[in-house]
């Protein structure tokens, strides 16, 4: 009998990958999310916004990203793919495959890298113009560089000159052993920023004056001819947001701390004059000490979420949310000063650091930074008034979650931005979506006179549930803070609770109990909590 011949998977049976060039305006978003999802292969395009750059470029929900700027990324770590997209600035070229074709290719064992190469000749030529090529292989996209110069006895060791017909000032006469050369500055580099401020349109005299004013330390954002050519061809703006940080000598430190019998072994203090969350009194031999945490370290992020702008209770809540361990990103004072000089957050270094915690399969990395207003949670900070916080907390029997109603007009909650029927997500930085009604009420009562809530509308909650997205404070707009000073226009006592088949309790009930953390108010008005 003739033997049956099994043909190898054919590329012709699958849809051709689509090349989408997405270009956004500076400081705006591309208008999509890049996600990985449990039990689903590939880097997924999700939530493509209507009329956004992503939609106009042809991206569709469920598309899988095969290449970014010509680099095959299907098997790369998700954080690495996100970093490549972010470093691309205001324009990125994505080679994507629709959901059905991707799943078919996976099932049939098709080589996705080979499939990703199957683009038209015209597309290949365009791609080569977008991605630098060396010896036939795609190399890294050129980036501007941040360099930290520390003045020496003989100065910084360089001169500046203007070039006719070209924008900005150029580095010349670079001393090979000088401070600038040691910081990574190169001859003919073009100066873009000094200490976070653009100087491309400044005169020679103005630039020299800014360098002198910076005294003994200065940070330059620099570009070379190759980088200038690439960014000009892509119509991208050179900025510190797309800069390579590897030349900066001082790095944030990422550490995982396992909780011991007596906690982590350090105090966390919020300095009222700066808003910094500072590590204090690290116990010798404690888990914190063993992990490398030091006195006066400044906390940048907890478990991958930045803490800038959060109050003390919210940060403590985030640390306590992980019962057995926590991952902290910190900087010492010198490193903090360097990043502040550059006017960038140390958190921008986060994705470039090796995170020792296992990757979360449900991770959502936000490339889209401007969601629709109704789909944003809100951080609401308030101070208890004469009638309490001014809202009730309700639940529906046999349904998860708690929601807010009876928001008192002009009361603390109302002034802080809380609205009737808001869904409650966090109390003082702790996620309470799966907590019992009694436990949440207890948290609110134990918070004392100050309370921070993360809330969202019911429509937003349903939206996030449908998209299988965790709701976090990092999605919210800047904090709506009414805690300094408190503003109340009503002074009448709360109405008595009405009988209802649904259990509820007024969250404004007064309580003199202290938080479970040993919090103390120091004479210098700083919050200080033992962890």
């Amino acid at each position: 009998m003739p033997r049956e011949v099994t043909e190898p998977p054919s590329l012709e049976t699958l849809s051709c990958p689509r090349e989408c060039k997405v270009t956004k305006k500076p400081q705006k978003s591309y208008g999509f999310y890049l996600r990985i999802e449990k039990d689903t292969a590939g880097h997924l395009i999700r939530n493509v916004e209507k009329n956004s750059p992503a939609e106009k470029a042809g991206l569709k929900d469920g598309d899988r990203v095969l290449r970014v700027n010509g680099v095959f990324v299907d098997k790369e770590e998700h954080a690495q793919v996100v970093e490549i997209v972010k470093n691309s600035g205001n324009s990125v070229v994505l080679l994507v495959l629709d959901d059905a074709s991707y799943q078919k290719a996976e099932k049939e064992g098709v080589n996705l890298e080979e499939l990703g190469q199957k683009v038209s000749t015209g597309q290949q030529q365009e791609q080569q113009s977008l991605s630098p090529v060396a010896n036939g292989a795609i190399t890294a996209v050129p980036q501007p560089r941040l360099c930290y110069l520390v003045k020496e006895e003989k100065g910084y060791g360089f001169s500046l000159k203007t070039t006719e017909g070209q924008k900005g000032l150029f580095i010349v006469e670079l001393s090979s052993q000088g401070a600038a050369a040691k910081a990574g500055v190169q001859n003919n580099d073009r100066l873009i920023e000094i200490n976070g401020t653009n100087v491309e349109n400044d005169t020679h005299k103005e630039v020299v004056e800014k360098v002198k004013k910076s005294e003994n330390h200065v940070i330059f954002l620099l570009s070379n001819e190759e980088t200038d050519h690439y960014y000009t061809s892509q119509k991208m703006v050179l900025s510190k947001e797309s800069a390579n940080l590897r030349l900066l000598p001082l790095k944030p430190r990422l550490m995982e701390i396992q909780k011991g019998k007596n906690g982590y072994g350090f105090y966390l203090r919020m300095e009222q004059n700066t808003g910094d969350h500072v590590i204090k009194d690290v116990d010798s031999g404690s888990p914190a000490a063993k992990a490398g945490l030091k006195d006066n370290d400044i906390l940048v992020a907890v478990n991958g979420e930045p803490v800038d702008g959060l109050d003390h209770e919210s940060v403590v809540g985030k640390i306590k949310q992980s019962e057995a361990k926590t991952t902290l990103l910190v900087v010492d004072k010198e490193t903090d000063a360097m990043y502040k000089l550059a006017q960038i957050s140390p958190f921008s270094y986060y994705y470039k650091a090796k995170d020792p915690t296992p990757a979360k399969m449900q991770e959502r990395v936000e490339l889209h930074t401007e969601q629709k207003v109704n789909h944003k949670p809100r951080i609401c900070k308030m101070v208890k008034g004469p009638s309490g916080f001014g809202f009730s907390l309700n639940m529906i029997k046999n349904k998860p979650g708690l929601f807010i109603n009876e928001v008192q007009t002009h009361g603390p909650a109302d002034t802080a931005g809380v609205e009737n029927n808001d869904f409650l997500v966090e109390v003082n930085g702790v996620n309470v979506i799966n907590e019992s009604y009694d436990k949440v009420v207890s948290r609110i009562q134990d918070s004392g006179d100050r309370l921070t809530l993360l809330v969202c509308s019911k429509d937003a909650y349903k939206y996030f549930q449908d998209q299988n997205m965790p709701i976090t404070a990092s999605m919210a707009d800047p904090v709506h803070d009414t805690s300094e000073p408190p503003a109340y226009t009503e002074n009448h006592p709360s109405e008595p609770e009405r009988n209802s088949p649904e259990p509820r309790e007024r969250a404004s009930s007064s309580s003199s109990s202290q938080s479970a953390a040993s919090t103390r108010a120091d004479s210098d008005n700083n919050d200080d909590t033992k962890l």
Side-chain angles (χ1 to χ4, degrees):
M1 289 182 63
R3 188 170 15 172
E4 182 181 354
V5 178
T6 303
E7 293 186 4
S10 171
L11 300 184
E12 301 301 327
T13 62
L14 299 169
S15 296
C16 187
R18 308 183 325 274
E19 190 171 68
C20 303
K21 182 177 179 181
V22 193
T23 302
K24 67 181 181 68
K25 293 180 180 178
Q27 309 303 322
K28 298 294 184 181
S29 70
Y30 287 120
F32 72 96
Y33 285 89
L34 186 61
R35 299 180 60 196
I36 51 175
E37 295 176 355
K38 191 174 181 180
D39 301 324
T40 304
H43 304 284
L44 289 107
I45 301 291
R46 291 295 192 201
N47 309 327
V48 179
E49 274 214 350
K50 194 172 182 180
N51 297 322
S52 67
E55 186 189 56
K56 291 175 182 177
L59 288 179
K60 297 178 181 177
D61 191 79
D63 280 344
R64 303 302 202 284
V65 178
L66 301 183
R67 292 179 179 269
V68 179
N69 295 335
V71 179
F72 185 70
V73 297
D74 183 64
K75 303 303 178 187
E76 295 291 339
E77 290 291 328
H78 191 62
Q80 177 70 20
V81 181
V82 171
E83 185 179 354
I84 294 172
V85 176
K86 286 184 174 180
N87 287 341
S88 189
N90 296 315
S91 185
V92 64
V93 177
L94 303 178
L95 189 70
V96 299
L97 189 62
D98 67 87
D99 180 47
S101 295
Y102 184 91
Q103 291 190 45
K104 187 174 182 181
E106 284 275 295
K107 187 177 180 181
E108 296 181 359
V110 172
N111 185 325
L112 289 170
E113 188 166 9
E114 180 185 340
L115 181 64
Q117 291 172 340
K118 195 185 178 197
V119 291
S120 69
T121 304
Q123 287 175 323
Q124 286 178 343
Q125 290 172 348
E126 182 183 358
Q127 187 62 50
Q128 287 171 358
S129 73
L130 294 170
S131 302
V133 176
N135 299 324
I138 295 173
T139 61
V141 170
Q143 295 173 264
R145 308 180 323 276
L146 276 172
C147 297
Y148 181 56
L149 288 67
V150 181
K151 195 173 185 179
E152 296 179 346
E153 189 176 340
K154 294 182 179 180
Y156 287 114
F158 70 91
S159 297
L160 290 168
K161 75 164 187 175
T162 56
T163 300
E164 190 175 349
Q166 290 185 284
K167 194 176 183 180
L169 296 173
F170 291 81
I171 304 290
V172 293
E173 298 177 14
L174 188 69
S175 170
S176 60
Q177 298 299 317
K182 291 175 184 176
V185 179
Q186 299 173 9
N187 265 318
N188 298 314
D189 274 345
R190 187 168 69 87
L191 187 56
I192 302 167
E193 291 183 4
I194 295 177
N195 297 338
T197 301
N198 189 283
V199 296
E200 290 177 288
N201 295 316
D202 286 14
T203 65
H204 185 281
K205 183 178 179 181
E206 288 170 336
V207 171
V208 170
E209 191 62 29
K210 283 178 181 175
V211 174
K212 286 181 178 178
K213 276 187 178 179
S214 193
E215 297 181 346
N216 296 323
H217 303 84
V218 67
I219 287 191
F220 286 169
L221 179 67
L222 301 163
S223 178
N224 56 24
E225 187 177 359
E226 180 190 12
T227 305
D228 276 343
H229 176 74
Y230 177 78
Y231 274 73
T232 300
S233 69
Q234 299 308 302
K235 298 179 180 178
M236 292 160 56
V237 177
L238 283 161
S239 69
K240 53 183 169 286
E241 284 73 25
S242 58
N244 190 318
L245 307 181
R246 66 180 178 81
L247 292 174
L248 295 180
L250 306 174
K251 317 289 185 188
R253 306 184 333 265
L254 189 66
M255 56 193 66
E256 182 181 277
I257 311 176
Q258 301 286 338
K259 185 182 283 187
K261 293 181 192 176
N262 299 316
Y264 294 115
F266 69 92
Y267 275 90
L268 184 67
R269 171 181 292 184
M270 181 175 179
E271 304 288 359
Q272 296 296 330
N273 58 335
T274 63
D276 290 336
H277 302 278
V278 183
I279 306 297
K280 293 288 185 182
D281 302 330
V282 178
D283 296 337
S284 178
S286 66
K290 290 176 182 176
L293 204 60
K294 297 175 182 177
D295 280 3
N296 298 316
D297 276 343
I298 297 168
L299 187 59
V300 176
V302 176
N303 299 324
E305 291 194 28
V307 299
D308 186 45
L310 296 182
D311 62 16
H312 179 71
E313 291 81 7
S314 297
V315 178
V316 170
K318 287 188 181 298
I319 295 174
K320 289 186 172 184
Q321 195 169 353
S322 302
E323 294 184 1
K325 65 181 179 182
T326 190
T327 301
L328 306 181
L329 187 70
V330 301
V331 291
D332 58 30
K333 286 192 173 182
E334 187 181 4
T335 305
D336 181 62
M338 182 190 73
Y339 274 87
K340 282 178 178 171
L341 186 64
Q343 297 185 40
I344 57 174
S345 167
F347 186 70
S348 62
Y349 189 84
Y350 181 75
Y351 285 113
K352 304 179 195 304
K354 186 177 179 182
D355 189 346
T357 56
K360 297 177 183 176
M361 293 305 294
Q362 294 275 13
E363 180 183 3
R364 176 187 55 78
V365 179
E366 194 171 322
L367 296 176
H368 173 289
T369 58
E370 293 184 335
Q371 296 171 302
K372 294 176 182 177
V373 174
N374 288 342
H375 289 165
K376 281 186 179 181
R378 306 186 307 282
I379 299 172
C380 302
K381 298 168 67 175
M382 64 200 81
V383 174
K384 187 183 289 184
S387 304
F389 291 115
F391 68 91
S392 288
L393 189 63
N394 280 21
M395 66 174 290
I396 298 176
K397 194 172 183 180
N398 300 324
K399 286 193 177 182
L402 301 169
F403 63 93
I404 289 168
N405 69 357
E406 297 184 14
V407 177
Q408 187 183 99
T409 305
H410 303 307
D414 181 35
T415 308
V418 179
E419 298 175 3
N420 279 318
N421 298 315
D422 272 346
F423 189 89
L424 182 60
V425 181
E426 290 184 4
V427 174
N428 296 330
V430 178
N431 190 292
V432 297
I433 288 177
N434 294 316
E435 288 192 355
S436 69
Y437 174 83
D438 291 339
K439 189 169 183 179
V440 176
V441 170
S442 179
R443 282 190 187 279
I444 293 171
Q445 290 176 336
D446 288 346
S447 67
D449 291 334
R450 293 174 181 266
L451 180 65
T452 300
L453 302 181
L454 181 67
V455 299
C456 66
S457 69
K458 282 191 172 182
D459 286 343
Y461 176 71
K462 184 177 184 304
Y463 169 81
F464 287 120
Q465 289 291 99
D466 290 344
Q467 299 299 326
N468 196 25
M469 291 184 197
I471 306 171
T472 65
S474 61
M475 298 176 179
D477 279 330
V479 180
H480 191 154
D481 189 353
T482 60
S483 60
E484 292 291 351
Y488 315 115
T489 58
E490 292 194 13
N491 198 28
H492 56 74
S494 302
E495 294 179 10
E497 290 293 324
R498 296 186 293 272
N499 293 329
S500 169
E502 299 170 357
R504 62 173 161 185
E505 182 169 338
R506 181 164 293 279
S508 61
S509 301
S510 61
S511 171
S512 60
S513 61
Q514 292 242 334
S515 168
S518 59
T519 304
R520 64 174 183 259
D522 289 348
S523 57
D524 58 3
N525 236 11
N526 293 320
D527 291 322
D528 207 4
T529 301
K530 176 72 174 180
L531 293 161

